[in-house]
Amino acid sequence: MSTQSYALLSVEMRGAVAVVGLNRPEKRNAINDPLIDEICAFFASPPKDARVVVLHGHGPHFSAGLDLAEHRDREAFEVMMHSQKWHRTFHHVQMGGLPVVSALKGAVVGGGLELATSTHVRVAEPSTFYALPEGQRGIFVGGGGSVRIARIIGAGRMAEMMLTGHAYNAQEGQGMGLSHHLVGEGEALPKAVELAERIAANAPLTNYAIINALPRIADMSQGDGLFAESLMAAMTQTSPEAKNRMRAFLEGKAAKAGS
Ligand code: 1HE
């Protein structure tokens, strides 16, 4: 798949970082079937050399969400299948094994917010706004938002967004945990790449454990969660890479925390 070419995604390798752009700016990166298929194909089988992915949108918006033109005439069963395809796709984004850093700007709405909240680290520019216009459109979320968005901002706030269609700006989104870094205009992509390069320098097994274990542990009882945590600790701390990294620190050869 690493050699596959995409019509609606740009893919560029920068060392160990795969920079992937939603490339449908004339439709504000609205997600139609061909685009979701390409996102699914990429994240199900990312390039072999990639250790981290940066996801961004071409043009002034990250994504206007579901392509409403395509969705108009679907029957219930088709919508069910379509929603489950989005679930599979965003599962690959969240738990495919590679950390994903997103660079957000302009509209991050509806399915665009569902996609963004499947990524692990989110960097926003001042132009970013977040909205869930499903209430206005007479539909419901279908790309995992009722789970992922609600876990970040709370089900109550999500209900308010869906009922009122209210858009939160970049500053507000930062306060709500929708972004982790708020940078200047035009700076989200370079900052996302910088963070991705830092993440790429981590032990791959630890990155894998972070993105796969933490959301699952959040779903577990306390006892199960603590047991799963110990298993992940046992797996990561006994790896040769961990031993080398800990020795390097003790010999004064590794960066200190926070640097
Ligand atoms: C679209 C879409 C779209 C733009 N589906 N075609 N999402 C929404 O309800 C958001 C709808 N979009 C907007 O509110 C605005 O387009 C934006 C605020 C994102 C951007 O505004 P603007 O002025 O920059 O662009 P525009 O002129 O509105 O749109 C440019 C073109 O993109 C135009 O097409 P054109 O052929 O007339 O040039 C628009 O029709 C098209 N376009 N957004 C289809 N979403 C799995 S369930 C998920 C549920 C949801 O995602 S609901 C939220 C849907």
Side-chain angles (χ1 to χ4, degrees):
M1 197 58 72
S2 57
T3 53
Q4 177 170 340
S5 62
Y6 297 91
L8 299 172
L9 286 181
S10 63
V11 178
E12 183 202 339
M13 288 302 295
R14 295 195 200 173
V17 177
V19 179
V20 178
L22 306 174
N23 201 4
R24 223 190 152 211
E26 70 288 356
K27 295 289 181 188
R28 307 308 182 248
N29 297 322
I31 303 171
N32 59 2
D33 278 347
L35 179 52
I36 201 77
D37 285 343
E38 291 196 359
I39 298 170
C40 194
F42 178 85
F43 282 96
S45 185
K48 267 201 200 66
D49 304 339
R51 287 175 74 160
V52 181
V53 178
V54 165
L55 182 66
H56 70 106
H58 288 279
H61 300 280
F62 177 72
S63 172
L66 176 70
D67 188 309
L68 296 166
E70 208 178 47
H71 215 62
R72 263 190 319 224
D73 299 321
R74 286 191 168 134
E75 290 168 6
F77 184 58
E78 289 174 292
V79 176
M80 182 83 194
M81 292 295 111
H82 176 268
S83 168
Q84 291 191 310
K85 181 159 71 172
W86 280 49
H87 288 171
R88 278 195 300 282
T89 301
F90 292 177
H91 176 80
H92 288 312
V93 175
Q94 187 185 15
M95 298 203 187
L98 295 182
V100 185
V101 184
S102 52
L104 308 179
K105 61 185 165 180
V108 182
V109 306
L113 183 53
E114 294 182 298
L115 173 57
T117 51
S118 306
T119 69
H120 307 98
V121 178
R122 296 177 290 281
V123 183
E125 295 185 4
S127 65
T128 308
F129 60 95
Y130 307 92
L132 292 170
E134 281 82 356
Q136 293 160 280
R137 310 282 177 243
I139 59 177
F140 194 65
V141 284
S146 56
V147 175
R148 293 193 186 91
I149 300 171
R151 284 185 188 177
I152 294 169
I153 65 173
R157 175 85 78 165
M158 183 174 174
E160 183 268 328
M161 287 179 76
M162 289 182 72
L163 288 169
T164 66
H166 178 73
Y168 286 96
N169 65 30
Q171 192 71 44
E172 293 166 327
Q174 172 81 3
M176 292 155 67
L178 290 174
S179 67
H180 305 109
H181 297 264
L182 185 52
V183 295
E185 218 53 68
E187 292 173 7
L189 184 54
K191 179 71 179 177
V193 171
E194 179 197 319
L195 292 169
E197 283 166 350
R198 286 183 73 122
I199 296 168
N202 295 342
L205 182 61
T206 301
N207 281 345
Y208 181 86
I210 291 166
I211 64 176
N212 277 278
L214 287 181
R216 289 190 167 91
I217 289 172
D219 286 341
M220 292 178 189
S221 67
Q222 178 158 316
D224 291 344
L226 293 175
F227 187 75
E229 178 185 279
S230 297
L231 282 174
M232 293 317 305
M235 257 186 77
T236 53
Q237 282 169 35
T238 51
S239 68
E241 180 154 9
K243 287 178 185 161
N244 290 338
R245 284 168 179 258
M246 288 190 272
R247 188 180 318 112
F249 175 78
L250 295 172
E251 289 170 357
K253 293 179 188 155
K256 295 193 181 192
S259 59

